[in-house]
Amino acid sequence: MITIALSKGRIFDETLPLLRAAGILTPDHPGNSRKLILATSRRDVRLIIVRAADVPTYVQYGAADLGVAGKDVLDEHGGQGLYQPLDLGIACCRMMVAVSKDFDYGRATRQRARLRVATKYVQTAREHFAAKGMHVDLIKLYGSMELAPLTGLADAIVDLVSTGNTLKANNLKAVEEITPISARLVINQAALKLKRTEIQPLLDAFAGAAA
Ligand code: AMP
């Protein structure tokens, strides 16, 4: 049995065509089913639905053999125990620094002001500001980072930006790109050795469909 860990939403939806290319179809969709384990058209392949940030953990410990996770999530996780052979080119967006529309970020950085930065991505933010030689106080949040500059909790946020609509709707502006983000295939390193004959064809089909 091969177990593939996916998260609901964009990653699931954009992975479906890649699964199809590997001959894997699923009658259930997490949008209209509460099932956490989904059977597929292949008796030897099942999907599990987990939180996006939990995908690397399931694969790291071998509870799933394969998974699809955003680079944002993998950077925070650290990637231990994971083989990352393939950028799938899906769920693309950008990791950005954003501030209130009227906040002068350029001046704050020139003056070497010590900024308060709210984010779910503390590891990524820490590395980014350290590389710039900026001292920041990081505040860990779990959601709705856009509220932080609006309520005085923080001067800036580090968050994913896709269309930019969320920033605009909340009177925020992006001021710096940290890194482009896309989803990667991750494989448990031990599973790749032990189940190579089963996993390699999936890898090849994903690579062909992602190219
Ligand atoms: P947008 O308004 O299209 O710029 O989307 C921004 C909102 O969607 C923010 O709350 C982000 O955290 C979230 N978001 C954007 N892209 C992604 C992605 N690829 N994965 C997870 N969350 C995302």
Side-chain angles (χ1 to χ4, degrees), residues 10 72 91-93 121 146 159-167:
R10 226 177 133 182
D72 51 324
C92 297
C93 58
Y121 306 99
E146 297 84 3
D159 194 8
L160 297 175
V161 178
S162 181
T163 60
N165 290 341
T166 306
L167 293 182

Side-chain angles (χ1 to χ4, degrees), residues 127-151:
E127 282 170 24
H128 174 70
F129 290 109
K132 283 172 65 83
M134 278 175 73
H135 290 288
V136 297
D137 294 314
L138 291 172
I139 301 174
K140 166 90 183 180
L141 287 180
Y142 293 88
S144 298
M145 281 157 264
E146 297 84 3
L147 263 180
L150 306 178
T151 54

